Amino acid sequence: MNKQYDLIVIGTGSAGAGVATACSKEDWKVAIIDSRAYGGTCALRGCDPKKVLVGAAEIIDWNERMQGKGIQHQPTINWADLMAFKETFVEEIPPAHEKKLQEAGVDTFHGFASFVSEDTVQVGDDQLTGKHILIATGAKPAPLSIEGEQYLANSDDFLNLEQLPSTIVFVGGGYISMEFAHIAVRAGAEVHIVHHGDQPLGKFDPDLVDELVERSRELGIQFHLNTEIESITQLADQQYKVTATQNSDQQKQSIDIECGLVVHGAGRVANIDQLQLDQANIASEKQGITVNEYLQSTSNPRVYAAGDVAATKGLPLTPIASMESQAVRTNLLQDNVQIPDYKVMPSIVFTIPKLASVGMTAEEAQKLGDHIKINDMDTSSWYTYKRTNEKHTRIKVIIDTKARKVLGAHILSGEADDLINHFATAIQFDLNIDEWKKTIYGYPTAMSDLSYFLEE
């Protein structure tokens, strides 16, 4: 059956659902499609359920740090109970999300969407034709082309584990591997991270990453750096063998690790394979769908793309997907008037301690001249962190002494996630540091240290 729409949205996550609702409220006839449960990656399979697990791991870490300093009796994580608690945040989202869309007047469809022409999408037995189409299908684990790749679990699988295996191997040294490793090791697992480079978290400040790796090793996480996985072999009793080659000091060494789970944490790519983009004359590139400054396909003007599926300057983060979603809804309703603003993109790794970054890196800043000052501070002896016995805390703040503003901030601490947002605000609005330092913050709090961060 063919149905006509003003807008078809493919994907119900942060980049898609808001556009569908907004256009429906303007009396557009709107359809939305998803092959999975309604709600998107962040709410169902990413940020939100992950942070529930992180919260439990933080309790374990805090107790360990404070043993002998007034705290006795170390708690442990009951994995089954924790997963059941996590599920309370997830289970009601799909039906509630779909109901909200339907109440807004949006027609909801379930199934894989694929283009059959420049303006028509096939989903199940239905063909939907739209004046406009938004692709917001997000990202998926990148193919690795290794022998035994079919045995790799992904982040969805980890977040739904009924039991935690005694030994886990994480492939790659990105967000997913580092965050899940910190959860798993505090839940009692033996944890290995196999990474092809000489340092994980390549987009973050290398000095702070080194500090985080040191803390991770103290916890028992084993890093195999400069190491390439050759194969994954299934053994008996739901066990696997990971065979890898480590390159160090111009020598190659073979490594075998037996484990109960191998998790893909080696990057994600745009989720476009099943869309049949060629049938709709939609150009794409390695990063995703090729779009102009208004998030409109460069080859098919009926089509827009937002979030992780679009080839933009934006980082693959939920707030960026939401910001791009806002731009798309404005551009659809007002005929291309809004360009997304990528000036500020705070990024946080929810390890313990957390690692956060916003703005210019120290390496980039050093090329600008002698009016740039980089405050690099080990804060572990400061009251804010000493009171909770945090041994690995550090901050780098990049200051333009001529323009009197902050250009970047990089933080490793338990409070990094909240602190980084203050720096994001300062960078977004070009706050003058002399005026900023006049702000009185509640004391004692992490933010009350601001005047010391901005010293010259």
Side-chain angles (χ1 to χ4, degrees):
M1 181 182 296
N2 186 274
K3 301 180 181 181
Q4 303 289 320
Y5 290 94
D6 296 304
L7 172 66
I8 299 167
V9 178
I10 308 173
T12 61
S14 301
V19 178
T21 301
C23 290
S24 183
K25 287 180 178 179
E26 296 299 321
D27 295 325
W28 285 30
K29 189 175 181 182
V30 180
I32 195 165
I33 307 164
D34 209 317
S35 62
R36 305 186 70 173
Y38 274 42
T41 296
C42 184
L44 300 178
R45 306 176 290 276
C47 332
D48 293 352
K50 170 199 71 183
K51 201 171 180 186
V52 174
L53 306 191
V54 170
E58 286 177 322
I59 293 170
I60 299 298
D61 187 70
W62 192 305
N63 274 272
E64 286 179 347
R65 295 199 311 266
M66 295 300 291
Q67 290 292 313
K69 295 178 172 55
I71 299 298
Q72 300 178 12
H73 308 303
Q74 176 67 22
T76 59
I77 289 177
N78 181 304
W79 188 260
D81 287 350
L82 177 58
M83 296 303 280
F85 179 56
K86 180 269 300 180
E87 193 61 23
T88 65
F89 293 86
V90 173
E91 59 190 359
E92 296 300 323
I93 289 176
H97 199 68
E98 184 167 8
K99 181 180 179 182
K100 184 177 179 181
L101 286 161
Q102 291 171 345
E103 289 175 345
V106 178
D107 289 349
T108 58
F109 292 84
H110 294 264
F112 287 99
S114 60
F115 284 91
V116 295
S117 70
E118 292 193 355
D119 64 354
T120 301
V121 173
Q122 182 83 36
V123 54
D125 295 330
D126 294 307
Q127 283 196 349
L128 314 183
T129 298
K131 294 178 183 177
H132 304 282
I133 300 171
L134 168 61
I135 301 173
T137 50
K140 64 176 186 177
L144 301 183
S145 300
I146 59 176
E147 183 182 343
E149 186 169 0
Q150 69 269 25
Y151 300 124
L152 278 173
N154 56 34
S155 57
D156 299 10
D157 299 321
F158 182 87
L159 288 171
N160 287 296
L161 284 173
E162 294 182 2
Q163 293 182 326
L164 189 71
S166 59
T167 304
I168 303 175
V169 173
F170 292 95
V171 180
Y175 285 82
I176 291 172
S177 292
M178 291 294 289
E179 292 175 341
F180 287 174
H182 272 247
I183 295 166
V185 75
R186 289 181 172 92
E190 177 185 315
V191 175
H192 299 257
I193 294 177
V194 181
H195 182 57
H196 65 85
D198 57 7
Q199 188 179 57
L201 299 172
K203 294 183 179 179
F204 286 82
D205 183 274
D207 295 331
L208 272 62
V209 171
D210 280 345
E211 187 92 7
L212 178 58
V213 168
E214 182 181 344
R215 174 58 180 148
S216 303
R217 283 178 166 143
E218 289 174 359
L219 295 167
I221 297 173
Q222 301 178 52
F223 288 87
H224 306 273
L225 303 177
N226 298 306
T227 302
E228 300 285 348
I229 291 185
E230 304 295 338
S231 66
I232 303 168
T233 306
Q234 187 174 33
L235 306 175
D237 300 323
Q238 295 184 323
Q239 293 291 301
Y240 302 91
K241 182 174 74 172
V242 175
T243 300
T245 301
Q246 186 173 50
N247 299 290
S248 58
D249 300 324
Q250 298 181 337
Q251 293 182 342
K252 290 187 176 182
Q253 178 182 357
S254 182
I255 298 172
D256 287 335
I257 308 170
E258 291 191 12
C259 61
L261 187 70
V262 190
V263 181
H264 188 313
R268 294 168 69 83
V269 295
N271 186 19
I272 58 176
D273 290 350
Q274 293 182 302
L275 292 174
Q276 301 295 327
L277 297 181
D278 56 324
Q279 298 294 318
N281 189 33
I282 300 171
S284 64
E285 53 197 89
K286 183 177 180 180
Q287 191 181 342
I289 293 170
T290 306
V291 294
N292 62 21
E293 59 186 352
Y294 300 109
L295 301 173
Q296 184 179 36
S297 167
T298 56
S299 56
N300 182 345
R302 299 175 183 81
V303 173
Y304 288 75
D308 296 358
V309 77
T312 69
K313 298 177 184 176
L315 295 176
L317 303 169
T318 297
I320 302 303
S322 298
M323 183 265 291
E324 291 182 348
S325 174
Q326 175 61 54
V328 168
R329 73 183 74 171
T330 299
N331 291 333
L332 285 169
L333 295 170
Q334 300 180 30
D335 195 20
N336 286 1
V337 296
Q338 185 171 338
I339 298 172
D341 179 7
Y342 299 106
K343 179 180 179 180
V344 174
M345 295 185 284
S347 185
I348 306 165
V349 185
F350 285 94
T351 45
I352 308 167
K354 306 176 188 84
L355 178 62
S357 175
V358 68
M360 191 172 289
T361 67
E363 184 179 10
E364 291 168 340
Q366 288 167 342
K367 300 174 183 177
L368 298 181
D370 57 10
H371 62 287
I372 300 298
K373 185 172 189 294
I374 300 174
N375 287 341
D376 184 356
M377 305 175 181
D378 179 341
T379 55
S380 58
S381 63
W382 294 23
Y383 170 79
T384 302
Y385 309 101
K386 187 176 180 180
R387 74 176 182 85
T388 56
N389 201 30
E390 292 187 66
K391 302 292 188 183
H392 296 274
T393 66
R394 186 171 175 179
I395 185 169
K396 285 187 182 182
V397 180
I398 299 156
I399 298 171
D400 186 329
T401 60
K402 187 184 298 183
R404 313 300 298 159
K405 63 183 181 180
V406 171
L407 300 180
H410 309 273
I411 310 169
L412 178 70
S413 76
E415 292 75 18
D417 53 340
D418 288 328
L419 280 175
I420 206 67
N421 289 324
H422 291 279
F423 285 99
T425 300
I427 296 170
Q428 179 69 53
F429 296 104
D430 294 315
L431 294 186
N432 179 282
I433 61 173
D434 302 302
E435 293 298 313
W436 193 17
K437 285 195 289 186
K438 292 178 183 178
T439 303
I440 298 175
Y441 291 97
Y443 179 88
T445 63
M447 199 55 204
S448 64
D449 295 328
L450 176 71
S451 59
Y452 302 105
F453 298 152
L454 301 180
E455 283 184 346
E456 295 176 63

